[in-house]
Each structure stands twice: as structure tokens, then as C-alpha cells.
Amino acid sequence: MRLFLYYLLVLGSNYVISTYGPHQRAQMTGDILLGGLFPMHFGVASKDQDLAARPESTQCVRFNFRGFRWLQAMIFAIEEINNSSILLPNITLGYRIFDTCNTVSKALEATLSFVAQNKIDSLNLDEFCNCTDHIPSTIAVVGAAGSAVSTAVANLLGLFYIPQISYASSSRLLSNKNQYKSFMRTIPTDEYQATAMADIIEYFQWNWVIAVASDDDYGRPGIEKFEKEMEERDICIHLNELISQYFEDHEIRALADRIENSTAKVIVVFAGGPDIEPLIKEMVRRNITDRTWLASEAWASSSLIAKPEYLDVVGGTIGFALRAGLIPGFREFLQQVQPKKDSHNEFVREFWEETFNCYLEDSPRLQESENGSTSFRPLCTGEEDITSVETPYLDYTHLRISYNAYVAVYSIAQALQDIFTCTPGRGLFANNSCADIRKIEAWQVLKQLRHLNYTNSIGEKMQFDENAELVANYTIINWQRSTEDGSVMFKEVGYYNIHAKRGGKLSIDKTKILWNGYYSEVPFSNCSEDCEPGTRKGIIDSMPTCCFECTECSDGEFSNHRDASVCTKCPNNSWSNGNHTFCFLKEIEFLSWTEPFGIALAICAVVGVVLTVFVMGVFIRFRNTPIVKATNRELSYVLLFSLICCFSSSLIFIGEPQDWTCRLRQPAFGISFVLCISCILVKTNRVLLVFEAKIPTSLHRKWWGLNLQFLLVFLFTFVQVTICVVWLYNAPPSSYRNYDIDEIIFITCNEGSVMALGFLIGYTCLLAAICFFFAFKSRKLPENFTEAKFITFSMLIFFIVWISFIPAYFSTYGKFVAAVEAIAILASSFGQLACIFFNKVYIILFKPSRNTIEEVRCSTAAHAFKVAAKATLKHSTVLRKKSGSFGGSSSSTPSSSISLKTNGNDCDTTSGRHKPRVSFGSGTVTLSLSFEESRRSSLI
């Protein structure tokens, strides 16, 4: 029974070897067999299978010339290896290559032949039969092209650990080694390509694009990665569409409508040529020529799209192409192809017929033509000159995918060479053993490939990374129309270095690019127009962030480049210009010595100092005159000195504020004014007490001596000094730059403590109020002593000035704060000087007759007479009211006399009416007063 079972397996194996798999193939026997999967056609004919009869295999359509060139690159590499005396000597490589027709189903049909052969070989039937026609197992597969096809193939080959090296599948999903255990590739992953595309869009400052991807394992992961990259760069995708070569016409038209109606002018496409071709045809039919295409490597040089008749639409396309490689002798190999010579390659016949648009004599399609199922074509001999026609097959100027296939074959051969030359004890397998090259298995080749590290014939280092990929760079190409024959020309305009640092990976020469086939100006593909310098982007409700309105920068902010997201705030010492495009340095302002206002204040202060010094000089010059003596000349000197200090303190408020000036000016002003008012207060109060005392005693003279007066002045001033010291110690004023005002920096003084300033001014005002009280009370004393009216008026001026100062101080800013205080100091100082001293100076200088002892005594006597008369009149009035209450009789005019004794000279006054007459004798003075009071007509 067992022998019968093995007999059936042997029969089955012969059947599988001879009949399984697609009938059309390229095949050559050898000691070691390599498999190949190439897209000889762009797709399959769509046919509905109603299953009324046995389903037929779908027919592949539209021959792929580039795919055939890739296949030829594999065959060329194998022949080179077989002819080499260094690489795999005495070992012949064979191949079995199938057409995937760019579809998963056809690729799986071919892959099953590889898997089935390996499974039969694993049964080890050599002991039961002599299989002389036995075809060896496929130890590795080169292919496939499309990522979707490779994904399906990798799932199947991975079950048997058959190494698969793809030359064109770049989907990042295939980097998952847990799922695709035996998949390897000689092309960079789309992980880098998606980033490169986003970098290009950012480089050209586009932010509004359309994304189109093929609906397969190549397009979907690629566009997904692209979306993430765009989000990181704040670039918006207006439309995100999927496409397939199997879309119905109405689906293609609907997609074209959406693209045509979109305001985005850049279209990013992650798809192969067959998938994007229907859309391109529709765009050509509609003559939509204002779009810029960004092509992934799958169609960046596709012969399906790169046609002169499509160039009006796709001209100017920016594409990512793989690095071109050099294959010596490959050009001659391509030109030597002929149907009669390449009998092992069944694809040559179809290539020949498609190239020369003919049928070979024994072609099966000739019979179809005779039956009317295909179009008529003339016969060809198979000996035509292949170099006389232009086809993508002979475009060997930029070998990219062909070179990748070539490298894949050499990588497998190098792995086999490492196995062949392995030294026992240094191998990669159990116990450091080596594999037997004559009985090599697929999993052993896979193990060796993962550790591959060699240098090829042109000096390039080949090594698969941890993801079993050969890392390479991209070449950036631009589709242009050839000036010679109008064909599509791929112009290299830059490159993308995957290994470079971020920001240095992309290099583009913009001068080489022709946009839309003709223009050198970079197209505009933004949702909104760029914002000019001086403006920023403003968000529009319910719109993507790429759609915005331009909003002018606020005052104090600027933007000096186009399309600014935010306005930059100017530094504190700067302000924005009228257009908000740059910042200029603010003008620094303070109460300067050179400006008119500062000059005026300085002149006023100097005039005040000069006048005060002049008054002091007059007082010193006439210090022994009665008026000077009567005004307490010692206190007057101190008072004049304090006024000089007051005037001088105002000068500290002028000029650029420094820390030391800020700490000096308020104490200097406060102490000077307290000293001034203290002198006035002590002097006024002393005279008032002396005159109000009925009998001046020695006690009065003792307590109101000169020493006590200076002590009181010192004590009053010391309180102000204490306030200033505490202020300077706890919160010292300092220079401060105020940046809050537009276009101006005010340099002012930060007083440190407003409360301390309030105490300083409040204490000064308190002394002024007390002084005002005493001055008002002594307003009727002899003018030669206290000038009470003038002192009262000076205090009124002081209060008016400083009461007005408070609101003015807190309502102004900048240099005007110092100006307000300086004006207040000058005004109050001039008030004190004018009211207290100008009258005396006038008498001393211009009325010397009044500056005599007689005038002083006369005014003193007159004051005493007035006081006595007022007292007598008050007393008689009281008596009269009492008598009137008893009888109501009329009273006669009273007569009174007052006698005073004094020393002096006679003093006569002119009389016209009844006026007091004072006569002075030698040692005695008699003062008599007579007055009549008119009778009242009625009783009170």
C-alpha cells in the first residue's frame, strides 16, 4: 500500500513539473534553480465568470516592455554567473520565470509551482525511483514587482522559508519580519519615499494638495505614511482618493470631477502606472493642464504614462526614481534578442510581435486573427532589426528596476558562493556547520542571505539591514519634452539622501525644472494667498488650518517674511513700523537739559537761586537795620538758605534719571521744604507768643531764646530726615525704564514706596498747615515784625500748589511726572520768597525812611493802642447794655484816656479827624484817645 502511495506521488510529481504553473514562461535547467516573477503584462482582461462551464484562465493583456527588460536583466545576470570562473565554479544556475500579469491571482498561480516542487522534493523519493528528468527545487525567487503582488507571494513563500528578493516592491508593510519571514528587497521602503514627498512639498511651500493612491498594499500604506508626514508639517490634503485600473468609467469621471473642482494644484500619486493610467486619460480628454503631479517611484518613469500625447497634462511631473546602476554588456545583450535564438524564453515571441506589430508564422495569435477575434497584423520573420524601432525595452540610459533585479540575482549567487566556500566549524548552521551546496535547501539560502556582506564588481558594498532591505537613495526627475523628437525626457533635477540628517536630505536645482512642461515659475498650490510681511495667518471657522485670512499684526508686533503664522513681538526697546514689517528702536525720553521745557525749568531754578542769594546779600548788608532785626535775622538766614536748597533740588529732576539722582531728589526736596517751613513756623509763633503775653517775663525770654528756636527747627527737620532714611533703607528709589508707551521709552524714577513719598509730602503739609494757623492768628501784629498777611498768603500758595500736585502727579506719566514736581517745587519756593522777603527788600532798598526805629516803635505803639481801644470799647458796650436794661436812658459819649510811659522822641501824626495823638517827652509818653459814639435813635 505504501509503495502504491509513493508511486502515485511520483506520477503526480511528473505531472506537476510538466504542466503546473502558467504555460508561458522562461525556463532553463541547472544545478540550482532560481524562480522569477515579472509583470510581462499590465493586467488581465475583465471577464464575468458565470460558471456555466469550466472556468478558463484569464487572459493577460497589454504587453509591458519595461517588465520584459527586467526579466532580461535576471537572465543576463544568471548567464554572467554561469560563465564566471570565480563565482560558483562548476555549478550552473537555472531559472523558471513566470508572468504575474500585475495581478495577485496570476502571481499565486506561478508561486504554487515553486512551492509544489519544493514540497514534493521534501518527500525524498529517490529510493523508490530514478528521476532522471527531475527538476531541482527552487531555492530562491526574484520578484515580484508590485507591492500587492509581493505581499500575497510572500505569505505563501514564507510558509516554506523560500527566500524572496523583490526588485520593485516598496510597501512599508513588507518590512514586518514577523509576518513576512522570507521577504527581502533591493529597493528602499516607502517609509522613506513618503517622507521625501512631504519634504518636497514643504520645500516648494505648498500646503494644499490632492492625494491619490492605488487601492492595494502599495498605495494604502504609502499614502497613510504620507498623511502622517503632512500632519507633522501642518500641510493639508484637500482630497484623499483611492484608484484602481479596474474602476468603472463613471468612477473615473467622478474622480476627475473632484480633482477638476479642487483648488489644489498639486496631485500626489502613490500608485503604479496601470492604476493611474485611466485617470490620466480622462484628464487628457478634459484638457486639464494646470495641475502638477508628484509621482512615486512606481510610475515615475512608467512607459504607460510617459507618452508624448499625455505630456500636456503630465508635463512637469516631479518623480522619485531609484538610483540608476551600471550593468556592463547589458546593452548588447538586449539588442541580441531574437525569437529563434531565445527558444527557452517564450516571452520573446510576444515581445517581437508587439514591437513590430506583426505575427510570427507559428504564433497562436495568428490563428485568432484569422478567426476574427483579434485585429489583423502582417507576418514577420523574426529576423528584423530590433535597433530600428524605439521601445521602452531598449531604454537602457537609466537602469533602475533592471539594476535592482540584477543585484538580486547576484545577491543570491553570492550567498551560494559563501555556502560553497564555507569552512567547517565556521558556518552559520548548527554547531557552526556548513550546508552542502549539492543538496542546498531554500531555508539555508535564506539564512545565508541574512548575513550577506560583499562588494560587487563595481565596488559597491552590498548588505541587507535588519529589515532585509538594501538601503538606497532616490533620484528626483522632472518630466520634460525633448526638443529633438517631442518625446518624454526624464531630467534629473536633484536627489534625496536617506542617510543624511534632517534638513540636509533633499537637494534640488530649481533652475532645471520646467513646470507643466513649459514654465520656470513654481506653481501655486495653497488654500489661501500668502500673507504679505506685516500680516499673519488668521483662522477661518470650519476650514482647515491651511485656509486662513491675512490679519495685520498688532502694534508692537511684526512679521518680516511671507506667510507668517504668528507675529513676533518687538523687544521692549523697540516698536513696529507702520507696515509692521520690522521693529525700530524706541525713542528714549526724559526731562532733558536740552529740550525747551527742561531749559525753562533750569532757568527758573537758577533765577530763584540768584534772587534768593540777592535777598540774602541784602539782608547781610543791612543786617543792623530795624526791619532785618525785627524779622529775626538769624532765622531769616536759615530760611533763605533753605530756599536756595529748594530751588536747587528742582534741578535734580532734570536730566536722565540715574539711581543716585532718584534717591537724592525726593529727600533733598522734602528736607529743604521742611527746613524752610520750620523757620517760618518758629519765627511766627515766637512773635505771636511775645505780643499775646500780657507781662513778658524772664520765663518767656528764656524759652523763646535763639537757641530754643534753632532746636525746634532742628527737631522738625530731623523728623523729615528720619522719614527719608527709613525710606532709602527699606525701598530705595531707582531708575526705571517704562516700555508701556508706544514708540517711546520713558526713563523715570521708581519711587520705591508711594507710601513713603506720601509721608514725606504729608509731613511737609502738616507743618505748613500749623504755620498757616499761626500766621493767620498773627495777621494783626505789627507789620514790621511778622508780615502775617504775606506769610498767610504764601502758605495759601503752598497749599494750592501741592493740592494741585497730587492729581497731576498720578495722572501724568513719563518725563512729565518729574516736570510736574519740579514746577510745584519752583512755584511754592517762589511763593515763599516773594511773599516773605520781597516787601522787606523793597523797603530796605527803595523806602529807607520806613526802615527806622521810630517807624518800628510807632507801629508797635499803634498796635498796642488798637488792642486797648478794642478792649475799652468792648467793656463800655457791656455796661451800656446793662444800664439800658434798667432805665433805657440814652448814654452820653464816653471818654477815656490811656497813659503809657516810654522813652523816645515825639511822634506826631497828621490829624483831620479825631485820631490818636501820641506825644513823646524825655522819658515819658502820654497817649490820649477821644472818641464819640453817636447816639442811637432808639433803644436797644
Side-chain angles (χ1 to χ4, degrees):
M1 182 67 182
R2 184 182 178 188
L3 291 174
F4 178 72
L5 178 60
Y6 278 115
Y7 177 71
L8 291 178
L9 288 174
V10 172
L11 292 177
S13 66
N14 291 332
Y15 174 77
V16 169
I17 294 170
S18 59
T19 62
Y20 196 80
H23 175 71
Q24 193 176 20
R25 67 186 69 178
Q27 179 172 306
M28 188 177 70
T29 60
D31 300 321
I32 298 175
L33 198 64
L34 304 184
L37 296 174
F38 291 88
M40 294 296 98
H41 296 83
F42 286 110
V44 295
S46 58
K47 180 188 292 186
D48 294 333
Q49 300 285 357
D50 57 3
L51 302 181
R54 180 184 295 273
E56 297 180 357
S57 178
T58 54
Q59 182 180 2
C60 299
V61 295
R62 301 166 65 198
F63 189 80
N64 185 358
F65 290 94
R66 293 177 69 228
F68 181 64
R69 187 178 71 227
W70 304 341
L71 178 146
Q72 290 288 80
M74 178 177 176
I75 296 176
F76 176 74
I78 292 175
E79 291 185 1
E80 267 193 343
I81 295 169
N82 289 337
N83 295 329
S84 173
S85 60
I86 299 175
L87 194 58
L88 296 177
N90 301 321
I91 296 176
T92 303
L93 295 181
Y95 54 84
R96 297 173 67 201
I97 303 174
F98 296 99
D99 180 14
T100 64
C101 298
N102 207 34
T103 59
V104 172
S105 59
K106 288 292 184 180
L108 289 178
E109 184 181 353
T111 306
L112 283 173
S113 67
F114 304 143
V115 173
Q117 181 61 47
N118 285 26
K119 190 63 178 176
I120 292 172
D121 286 349
S122 67
L123 296 175
N124 194 11
L125 302 177
D126 293 344
E127 59 181 300
F128 299 98
C129 66
N130 183 14
C131 303
T132 56
D133 295 332
H134 173 64
I135 298 178
S137 300
T138 303
I139 55 95
V141 176
V142 177
S147 295
V149 175
S150 286
T151 300
V153 172
N155 281 319
L156 186 55
L157 294 179
L159 294 175
F160 304 95
Y161 292 93
I162 302 175
Q164 173 192 359
I165 303 181
S166 174
Y167 48 84
S169 299
S170 57
S171 173
R172 63 191 185 96
L173 296 180
L174 292 168
S175 297
N176 185 354
K177 296 298 108 178
N178 292 326
Q179 185 173 358
Y180 308 105
K181 301 178 180 64
S182 63
F183 179 81
M184 309 176 80
R185 54 185 163 190
T186 57
I187 184 174
T189 175
D190 286 336
E191 188 86 11
Y192 304 113
Q193 186 174 198
T195 304
M197 283 188 166
D199 285 346
I200 280 190
I201 292 174
E202 185 179 29
Y203 177 82
F204 289 112
Q205 299 180 359
W206 297 323
N207 67 6
W208 194 238
V209 299
I210 299 172
V212 179
S214 57
D215 190 11
D216 53 28
D217 288 339
Y218 169 74
R220 288 192 300 268
I223 212 67
E224 179 183 347
K225 173 64 177 176
F226 176 73
E227 289 174 2
K228 292 180 181 179
E229 293 290 336
M230 297 290 274
E231 289 177 4
E232 293 179 1
R233 293 164 172 79
D234 293 329
I235 301 174
C236 300
I237 298 177
H238 185 211
L239 295 177
N240 198 341
E241 303 286 346
L242 294 177
I243 195 171
S244 172
Q245 60 177 315
Y246 303 111
F247 268 15
E248 300 291 340
D249 290 343
H250 67 88
E251 293 177 299
I252 296 297
R253 288 194 296 269
L255 175 58
D257 288 338
R258 292 191 292 273
I259 293 176
E260 186 175 12
N261 295 330
S262 173
T263 56
K265 303 299 181 183
V266 174
I267 306 173
V268 180
V269 180
F270 260 95
D275 291 319
I276 194 64
E277 184 188 24
L279 176 62
I280 297 297
K281 286 183 176 179
E282 181 64 21
M283 300 286 280
V284 171
R285 188 185 69 82
R286 300 188 182 199
N287 195 29
I288 302 175
T289 60
D290 60 342
R291 298 296 192 273
T292 298
W293 301 80
L294 192 57
S296 65
E297 47 80 25
W299 72 280
S301 56
S302 173
S303 59
L304 277 179
I305 312 300
K307 297 179 179 179
E309 56 267 28
Y310 295 165
L311 206 53
D312 288 339
V313 170
V314 297
T317 295
I318 299 295
F320 285 88
L322 302 174
R323 181 194 58 175
L326 179 63
I327 307 178
F330 187 51
R331 174 179 180 180
E332 292 74 14
F333 178 79
L334 293 178
Q335 295 176 350
Q336 291 173 1
V337 65
Q338 274 192 350
K340 294 179 181 180
K341 294 180 182 180
D342 300 301
S343 58
H344 59 277
N345 189 347
E346 298 179 7
F347 299 108
V348 173
R349 301 178 62 82
E350 185 176 359
F351 161 73
W352 204 265
E353 293 176 349
E354 292 297 327
T355 301
F356 294 100
N357 195 23
C358 64
Y359 290 130
L360 296 171
E361 293 182 357
D362 54 349
S363 173
R365 294 194 297 174
L366 179 60
Q367 298 178 358
E368 296 177 2
S369 175
E370 294 174 353
N371 296 332
S373 57
T374 59
S375 59
F376 172 78
R377 291 183 182 180
L379 292 175
C380 50
T381 62
E383 296 180 357
E384 287 80 7
D385 184 8
I386 190 65
T387 61
S388 63
V389 294
E390 292 185 3
T391 64
Y393 169 75
L394 291 178
D395 184 10
Y396 41 76
T397 55
H398 297 93
L399 300 176
R400 296 183 173 91
I401 303 298
S402 301
Y403 182 73
N404 287 350
Y406 180 81
V407 170
V409 174
Y410 263 90
S411 297
I412 298 171
Q414 188 63 45
L416 294 173
Q417 177 70 14
D418 292 343
I419 294 174
F420 179 71
T421 59
C422 177
T423 302
R426 296 184 180 180
L428 300 176
F429 304 99
N431 300 321
N432 296 326
S433 61
C434 299
D436 186 358
I437 191 64
R438 298 294 177 181
K439 297 181 179 180
I440 191 69
E441 296 186 39
W443 65 271
Q444 294 172 324
V445 178
L446 178 61
K447 176 72 172 178
Q448 198 69 45
L449 281 169
R450 290 177 177 176
H451 294 80
L452 186 65
N453 188 355
Y454 74 101
T455 302
N456 62 12
S457 59
I458 61 175
E460 293 179 333
K461 187 176 181 180
M462 297 296 176
Q463 182 180 7
F464 290 97
D465 60 14
E466 64 276 5
N467 293 323
E469 300 167 353
L470 285 179
V471 179
N473 298 323
Y474 291 105
T475 298
I476 301 173
I477 61 175
N478 178 228
W479 289 22
Q480 300 179 8
R481 189 184 297 274
S482 173
T483 56
E484 297 178 358
D485 54 6
S487 62
V488 179
M489 178 178 61
F490 302 126
K491 179 77 171 181
E492 291 188 7
V493 295
Y495 62 88
Y496 188 84
N497 188 351
I498 295 174
H499 302 286
K501 294 182 179 180
R502 186 176 181 87
K505 296 182 177 182
L506 181 65
S507 177
I508 295 181
D509 187 354
K510 292 191 291 187
T511 60
K512 295 181 179 180
I513 300 177
L514 290 181
W515 301 99
N516 300 110
Y518 307 99
Y519 308 106
S520 58
E521 183 179 358
V522 178
F524 180 83
S525 184
N526 293 6
C527 182
S528 303
E529 292 287 340
D530 291 346
C531 291
E532 295 294 329
T535 62
R536 63 171 179 84
K537 299 177 183 178
I539 297 175
I540 302 177
D541 293 338
S542 70
M543 292 293 289
T545 56
C546 300
C547 301
F548 50 83
E549 58 184 0
C550 295
T551 304
E552 186 177 5
C553 293
S554 303
D555 290 339
E557 297 179 347
F558 76 101
S559 64
N560 56 6
H561 60 278
R562 296 172 62 89
D563 211 19
S565 298
V566 294
C567 294
T568 304
K569 187 175 180 61
C570 292
N572 285 338
N573 63 343
S574 303
W575 193 253
S576 58
N577 65 330
N579 296 329
H580 303 281
T581 55
F582 65 90
C583 293
F584 61 89
L585 292 177
K586 290 182 177 180
E587 181 182 354
I588 297 178
E589 282 198 5
F590 52 86
L591 189 58
S592 173
W593 293 98
T594 57
E595 64 176 290
F597 202 16
I599 294 174
L601 291 177
I603 291 175
C604 291
V606 172
V607 169
V609 170
V610 170
L611 289 177
T612 306
V613 171
F614 173 76
V615 172
M616 181 177 286
V618 171
F619 267 52
I620 293 174
R621 171 68 177 81
F622 298 95
R623 61 184 176 278
N624 294 320
T625 61
I627 286 183
V628 175
K629 288 182 178 180
T631 57
N632 197 336
R633 60 188 174 187
E634 288 79 8
L635 282 181
S636 296
Y637 295 156
V638 176
L639 176 60
L640 288 170
F641 172 75
S642 67
L643 286 175
I644 292 175
C645 293
C646 290
F647 283 115
S648 300
S649 67
S650 65
L651 295 175
I652 308 177
F653 290 83
I654 306 173
E656 181 177 354
Q658 305 290 337
D659 287 344
W660 69 271
T661 58
C662 291
R663 292 167 186 170
L664 177 64
R665 65 184 191 177
Q666 297 294 0
F669 141 71
I671 294 172
S672 301
F673 262 86
V674 166
L675 180 62
C676 173
I677 295 175
S678 297
C679 292
I680 298 173
L681 174 61
V682 170
K683 185 174 67 168
T684 304
N685 192 43
R686 172 182 174 275
V687 176
L688 179 65
L689 291 178
V690 170
F691 272 89
E692 286 189 348
K694 295 180 175 58
I695 302 176
T697 64
S698 61
L699 183 65
H700 287 91
R701 290 191 294 271
K702 176 181 179 181
W703 283 103
W704 289 103
L706 190 61
N707 293 335
L708 180 61
Q709 298 175 43
F710 281 114
L711 177 63
L712 290 175
V713 171
F714 171 76
L715 291 176
F716 289 144
T717 308
F718 180 75
V719 173
Q720 186 76 304
V721 172
T722 303
I723 294 174
C724 294
V725 170
V726 173
W727 180 9
L728 293 177
Y729 180 79
N730 292 308
S734 60
S735 177
Y736 168 71
R737 289 176 178 258
N738 185 356
Y739 298 100
D740 297 335
I741 309 301
D742 300 352
E743 304 183 17
I744 297 175
I745 299 176
F746 283 121
I747 304 180
T748 59
C749 285
N750 180 8
E751 302 300 350
S753 173
V754 179
M755 182 180 295
L757 179 62
F759 276 116
L760 184 142
I761 297 177
Y763 178 69
T764 307
C765 292
L766 175 63
L767 293 181
I770 296 173
C771 184
F772 175 76
F773 171 75
F774 286 135
F776 182 78
K777 191 174 181 180
S778 61
R779 66 190 184 280
K780 295 182 180 180
L781 294 180
E783 295 179 355
N784 301 75
F785 283 90
T786 61
E787 316 88 26
K789 294 180 181 179
F790 297 107
I791 293 177
T792 303
F793 187 65
S794 69
M795 291 299 105
L796 285 175
I797 293 175
F798 181 87
F799 280 117
I800 292 172
V801 169
W802 289 103
I803 290 174
S804 302
F805 164 77
I806 295 174
Y809 181 85
F810 288 101
S811 62
T812 55
Y813 57 88
K815 65 181 182 181
F816 302 107
V817 174
V820 166
E821 191 165 356
I823 291 173
I825 292 172
L826 292 174
S828 55
S829 299
F830 274 113
Q832 304 299 315
L833 179 65
C835 294
I836 296 175
F837 292 102
F838 280 5
N839 181 49
K840 293 180 176 59
V841 171
Y842 175 76
I843 293 174
I844 291 172
L845 296 180
F846 301 105
K847 299 290 184 179
S849 60
R850 295 179 58 184
N851 188 12
T852 60
I853 188 65
E854 292 81 4
E855 185 71 19
V856 172
R857 288 176 176 176
C858 185
S859 61
T860 304
H863 173 72
F865 167 78
K866 291 178 182 178
V867 172
K870 182 178 180 181
T872 303
L873 180 61
K874 181 178 180 181
H875 178 71
S876 63
T877 302
V878 173
L879 292 177
R880 186 171 58 253
K881 286 184 177 179
K882 290 182 179 179
S883 61
S885 62
F886 290 103
S889 60
S890 60
S891 60
S892 60
T893 303
S895 177
S896 300
S897 66
I898 299 175
S899 298
L900 294 176
K901 291 183 178 181
T902 185
N903 293 325
N905 298 322
D906 293 342
C907 179
D908 295 333
T909 59
T910 59
S911 60
R913 299 179 182 179
H914 295 285
K915 291 185 178 181
R917 179 177 180 82
V918 182
S919 60
F920 295 91
S922 61
T924 62
V925 177
T926 301
L927 178 65
S928 63
L929 172 64
S930 299
F931 62 93
E932 294 182 355
E933 184 179 343
S934 59
R935 298 181 178 180
R936 300 189 179 185
S937 57
S938 58
L939 295 174
I940 300 177

